Amino acid sequence: MNFKNRRALQLTLLGLTYSSFYCARLNLSQAHQRIAEFLHWGYSDYGFISSTALLMYAIAVLINGGIVDWLGGKKAILIGLLGSFVANLLFGLTYYLVDSTVKVGPLNFIYAGSTLVSTLAVIWSANYYFQSLGSLSVAKINSSWYQIKERGTASGTFGALIQVGRFLVATACPLLLLWLPWPYIFFVPAVLLLGMAIFVWKFVHNTPEDIGVQYFDEPLKHLPILQAIKKVITNPIILPLTIAAFCIGSARNGIEHWLARFFLSNYHQASDKLAKFPPYLLYSVLMPIAMIVASIFGGRLSDTTFGKKRFPIISISMAISSILLLVLSVCMSSPWVSAVILVAVMFTLQGANSMLMGCIPADFFGRSAVSSAVGVLDSAQYIGGAAISTLIAIVLDKYKVTGTEWHYWPLLLVMPCVVAFILSTLLWKQLPKNIKG
């Protein structure tokens, strides 16, 4: 197999591997209405679990970035896959533990009320800790297989591949809930993670040098953890990038973690009927297609039309997102209109995110510190996600009695989009210096 074909195979495997992480991360967002009915939860209970996990992810990527730079991507991603496998199994198994204690009695007090919420929050936070190794590892590996002139297109291709995971979450998860008890929405992704770990172990390599190809002029430097972190935090561009990442993460997570609940609650659908709700089916089919197009088109556009500049894509995407979310806040009486607008919003957010996480860390911080850079930016994204998830839960609970709570949901997401638009516009002409390693 020649180098280009070998590289394409590796990119495909890494894309599908990250898709499996998505399946084992966004599955809770599909099941939490059913779990809420089973355990008699309000919005705030899910909001607590979601926010705690997002905060753990934010801390984990910040800590683990330097570790992955030192350890190498392949070992780190295998640890992440196996850890997330265990966490998803444990989360699903709590169903049987709670069910049995309800019947037999003596242990029920351990898993009742807030203690159960806390237990599940710990398990789901552990899942997010191991999930954090996925994005860091993929960025580390890909930075050594693609040069700067290729990264926009490669990032777009990778962004397209990982939409397989989003498609499975949006379509297969509701079907599983239709046919099986909710724990299987965690068991099935766990098995998928285990299968991808086998493929990664057998076929993925850290660098072209591992298969005897010298693709860069200089070999990859393995910096000590603190030196890699220093290389990132002393770069002046890290501050505006971190703020932009916080804002983009707020918008992305604010939609992904609450979208299924929006369709169920706002349009009065039973929790096991989401798979049969036509507007949601429309969203489920169009969303991954839109995000695939956004990834490929945005990456290609940044490499060619904008001359390897990444910030124009982010700026344009966030401007459109802001407008679409304002439109959604006044047009959500129709589930069909809401579905189409949300597809368009996810299209624009994916274009911005593929530049922010797929290209900019390697472009501006080099191969030797790429995971540390991704760690800082991903941490900011998930701190933003935790903050917005908490705020959404509070607002929804506050206005639930009026029946208008969901009209505030898109409005909460507009401001971070506007801030990201302003920052990326200011950085429009920014290009990286000649970073080799």
Side-chain angles (χ1 to χ4, degrees):
M1 186 181 296
N2 64 35
F3 175 71
K4 287 190 175 181
N5 289 338
R6 181 67 188 77
R7 187 172 66 169
L9 172 63
Q10 172 142 315
L11 186 67
T12 301
L13 284 175
L14 287 174
L16 295 177
T17 299
Y18 204 74
S19 286
S20 71
F21 275 121
Y22 269 142
C23 291
R25 184 194 312 171
L26 299 178
N27 47 351
L28 178 58
S29 67
Q30 294 287 329
H32 75 86
Q33 174 85 354
R34 177 77 71 85
I35 298 172
E37 293 170 359
F38 179 69
L39 297 172
H40 309 292
W41 284 355
Y43 290 121
S44 295
D45 294 304
Y46 170 71
F48 173 72
I49 294 174
S50 176
S51 298
T52 303
L54 289 167
L55 189 59
M56 169 57 77
Y57 192 102
I59 296 169
V61 290
L62 195 60
I63 295 171
N64 290 336
I67 295 174
V68 174
D69 275 326
W70 168 74
L71 183 64
K74 182 173 180 177
K75 289 181 181 177
I77 202 169
L78 286 171
I79 294 170
L81 286 165
L82 295 176
S84 186
F85 161 76
V86 173
N88 270 267
L89 282 182
L90 289 176
F91 200 98
L93 287 172
T94 57
Y95 168 85
Y96 299 99
L97 182 59
V98 172
D99 191 47
S100 63
T101 54
V102 167
K103 293 176 181 176
V104 300
L107 296 179
N108 189 39
F109 72 96
I110 297 176
Y111 297 98
S114 61
T115 308
L116 174 58
V117 175
S118 299
T119 301
L120 293 176
V122 169
I123 295 172
W124 206 239
S125 295
N127 178 43
Y128 269 54
Y129 174 85
F130 290 108
Q131 290 263 342
S132 74
L133 294 169
S135 61
L136 299 172
S137 302
V138 166
K140 182 68 175 179
I141 294 170
N142 282 345
S143 69
S144 288
W145 287 81
Y146 295 92
Q147 297 180 6
I148 187 171
K149 63 185 178 181
E150 305 168 307
R151 284 180 187 146
T153 302
S155 175
T157 304
F158 177 80
L161 286 167
I162 66 177
Q163 302 316 314
V164 173
R166 293 180 186 275
F167 177 75
L168 289 174
V169 168
T171 55
C173 286
L175 289 174
L176 286 173
L177 288 173
L178 188 62
W179 299 328
L180 297 167
W182 63 258
Y184 285 87
I185 211 170
F186 302 97
F187 295 155
V188 173
V191 174
L192 184 60
L193 289 168
L194 192 60
M196 292 313 303
I198 296 171
F199 281 105
V200 169
W201 173 73
K202 189 167 181 62
F203 295 110
V204 170
H205 297 278
N206 285 316
T207 67
E209 288 88 345
D210 292 345
I211 59 171
V213 176
Q214 188 70 38
Y215 194 55
F216 284 80
D217 294 335
E218 297 180 7
L220 176 63
K221 299 174 184 177
H222 292 282
L223 296 180
I225 295 172
L226 293 180
Q227 192 174 337
I229 295 173
K230 181 181 178 182
K231 185 175 181 180
V232 172
I233 63 176
T234 56
N235 190 324
I237 202 172
I238 193 62
L239 180 59
L241 281 178
T242 301
I243 298 171
F246 177 93
C247 295
I248 294 171
S250 297
R252 287 180 68 238
N253 286 290
I255 292 175
E256 287 184 338
H257 289 268
W258 291 93
L259 183 137
R261 190 71 176 264
F262 164 71
F263 275 105
L264 289 169
S265 299
N266 195 53
Y267 302 113
H268 311 294
Q269 299 296 305
S271 61
D272 60 346
K273 296 296 189 291
L274 190 61
K276 295 182 177 180
F277 187 45
Y280 179 78
L281 291 176
L282 177 69
Y283 171 84
S284 301
V285 171
L286 293 183
M287 180 271 295
I289 297 173
M291 296 182 80
I292 287 170
V293 174
S295 298
I296 296 175
F297 181 69
R300 186 65 179 167
L301 209 60
S302 74
D303 276 348
T304 55
T305 304
F306 293 110
K308 297 185 286 292
K309 296 185 184 76
R310 316 304 181 188
F311 294 104
I313 301 296
I314 300 176
S315 175
I316 294 168
S317 297
M318 301 315 294
I320 298 172
S321 294
S322 303
I323 296 169
L324 289 171
L325 287 166
L326 287 172
V327 173
L328 177 62
S329 68
V330 296
C331 295
M332 61 171 58
S333 57
S334 167
W336 294 100
V337 173
S338 296
V340 172
I341 293 175
L342 285 166
V343 168
V345 172
M346 293 303 287
F347 171 88
T348 57
L349 292 177
Q350 177 60 23
N353 190 65
S354 65
M355 294 296 100
L356 180 71
M357 304 307 299
C359 296
I360 287 174
D363 285 358
F364 285 88
F365 302 97
R367 295 191 296 151
S368 59
V370 63
S371 291
S372 298
V374 170
V376 172
L377 299 180
D378 224 4
S379 177
Q381 281 212 359
Y382 281 85
I383 291 173
I388 202 70
S389 192
T390 301
L391 184 60
I392 288 170
I394 292 171
V395 171
L396 292 180
D397 269 335
K398 180 178 180 179
Y399 291 100
K400 185 177 180 180
V401 292
T402 68
T404 62
E405 69 267 30
W406 285 104
H407 288 274
Y408 295 94
W409 176 52
L411 293 176
L412 293 172
L413 306 176
V414 172
M415 185 52 67
C417 291
V418 171
V419 174
F421 160 70
I422 294 171
L423 286 170
S424 54
T425 302
L426 293 174
L427 294 169
W428 185 287
K429 296 181 180 180
Q430 194 80 17
L431 275 170
K433 295 179 181 179
N434 186 26
I435 296 176
K436 294 183 178 180

